[in-house]
Amino acid sequence: MDSDLFSRRRAARFAQLLDEANGGRRHHVRSRADDRLTALVAVGQRLVADRPDVQVDAEFRTGLRAMLVATAEREGMGTAAATTPAATTDATPRTSLLGAVTARQVRARGAILVGIAAGAVALSGISAASEDAVPGDALYGMKRSTERAQLALASSDLSRGQLFLDFARTRLDEAGTLHGDLAGFSAVLDDMDADTRQGVRLLTTTAAQRSDPAGLDAVNTFVTGQRKAVGGLLDGASRGERDRTRRSLALLDAIRKRSDALRAAIACGLPAPAGSDALGPAPGPCPSDR
C-alpha cells in the first residue's frame, strides 16, 4: 500500500469537507476517514466561531502571512496548469486530464491552506491569552508552542538569536513565581540557560561571520539586565535555589567574557578562531597579544 497516496486522498477529502462546511458545493462522495475528518472540520469551525476576544499581534499576522505565501509559492498554488496545444499529438486528451487533476489538487491544497490559516488566526488569540502562563498552567504548552512558531518565522540568525534571549527573559520571570518548588525552579532555569546559550551562539556566530560587533551589543545589553534580574532570585531563596541561581550567574559571566574577547578579535582583524563551543566561536589572540 502506498501510504503517501492515501495521505493525499485524505487531504483532498478534508479540503472537500472544509469547502462544504463553508458553503461550497457538496461532493457526493464518501471515504472511510470521513468520521475523523468531519470531527477535525468541526474543531476548526469552533475555533473560528469561539475565538477569544483578544487583539492579535500585528507582527504575528505579518509573519503568518509571509509563511503562507511562501508555502503557496513552493506548492505551486495559484499557477496555471501546463497545457499542450490541441493539435500537437495524440497525447492531448491525457495531458488535459492531467491538467484537470493538477487543478483539482491545487484547489484541494488551497482549501487546506485556508483552513490552516483560519485555525492559526483563531489559535493566535489563544496564544495571546497564554502570554502570562507559567509552568503548571493549562495554557503553558500553548505559550511554548507560540515561541517555537516565532522562531520558525524568524528571517535570520540574528532575529532568532534575539528571540532566544527574549525567551530567556521570559523564563526568568517564570522562575520568580516558583520559589519554594526546587524541582520546578531548577527546570525553568535549565530552560532559561538553554535559551541563553542558543541566542548567544547565534549572535556571536553572526558577529564573527560579518566582522560586525552589532550582535555583541545585543548580547552585552542582555547580560547586563539579565544578571541583575537573576541576582534578584537570591533574595529569600532556599539553599538549593541559591546554588542553582549561581550557576546561571556563572553562565552570564562567561558570556560577557566571550563577548568582550570576540569584540577585541573583530577590532584587530578577527584572527582565526581557536574553536567553537556552546557560546559560539572562541576567538584566538590578536597578533599584538602573542
Side-chain angles (χ1 to χ4, degrees):
M1 290 289 186
D2 188 342
S3 61
D4 184 57
L5 173 62
F6 284 99
S7 294
R8 290 182 181 179
R9 287 179 178 173
R10 283 194 295 270
R13 180 56 181 154
F14 182 51
Q16 291 174 345
L17 293 173
L18 282 172
D19 190 31
E20 292 174 6
N22 289 305
R25 70 178 182 85
R26 292 193 60 80
H27 300 79
H28 299 289
V29 295
R30 290 279 301 171
S31 83
R32 287 179 294 180
D34 273 10
D35 289 341
R36 283 177 293 175
L37 294 177
T38 300
L40 290 176
V41 171
V43 169
Q45 288 182 303
R46 288 200 301 272
L47 287 172
V48 174
D50 301 330
R51 68 184 65 181
D53 187 18
V54 295
Q55 293 297 318
V56 179
D57 184 72
E59 184 177 351
F60 177 87
R61 285 184 181 273
T62 301
L64 175 63
R65 182 182 183 279
M67 180 186 69
L68 294 175
V69 169
T71 301
E73 291 176 351
R74 185 174 66 251
E75 296 292 340
M77 298 176 189
T79 58
T83 56
T84 305
T88 52
T89 67
D90 293 338
T92 298
R94 174 178 172 81
T95 303
S96 299
L97 176 60
L98 289 175
V101 171
T102 301
R104 189 159 58 245
Q105 290 174 339
V106 168
R107 287 196 299 272
R109 289 175 178 172
I112 293 170
L113 192 59
V114 169
I116 292 172
V121 170
L123 286 173
S124 65
I126 301 175
S127 300
S130 71
E131 287 179 358
D132 296 328
V134 296
D137 288 352
L139 290 178
Y140 188 68
M142 174 62 70
K143 179 180 182 178
R144 298 302 296 268
S145 296
T146 300
E147 292 176 353
R148 289 192 291 270
Q150 288 178 277
L151 289 170
L153 294 171
S155 60
S156 67
D157 283 348
L158 185 63
S159 298
R160 276 185 286 275
Q162 291 171 330
L163 276 173
F164 271 118
L165 296 188
D166 286 341
F167 299 156
R169 294 184 180 99
T170 299
R171 302 289 86 79
L172 175 59
D173 292 339
E174 294 167 0
T177 70
L178 294 171
H179 276 304
D181 175 8
L182 180 58
F185 181 83
S186 298
V188 170
L189 289 191
D190 287 346
D191 287 347
M192 179 187 76
D193 290 350
D195 286 339
T196 298
R197 292 188 188 93
Q198 289 269 37
V200 168
R201 182 178 58 81
L202 288 168
L203 292 172
T204 56
T205 300
T206 300
Q209 290 173 342
R210 299 180 181 179
S211 294
D212 181 356
L216 302 179
D217 294 338
V219 170
N220 288 357
T221 298
F222 167 78
V223 169
T224 299
Q226 190 80 345
R227 198 185 191 291
K228 181 178 179 180
V230 171
L233 293 176
L234 295 171
D235 297 335
S238 67
R239 180 176 179 179
E241 290 171 346
R242 287 197 299 271
D243 289 343
R244 180 59 192 82
T245 299
R246 290 189 183 104
R247 282 161 45 196
S248 293
L249 290 171
L251 172 63
L252 293 171
D253 291 341
I255 290 170
R256 183 56 188 257
K257 184 177 180 180
R258 174 64 57 83
S259 176
D260 290 345
L262 190 53
R263 186 183 297 274
I266 291 174
C268 71
L270 199 65
S276 183
D277 56 22
L279 301 182
C286 291
S288 59
D289 298 335
R290 294 174 180 172

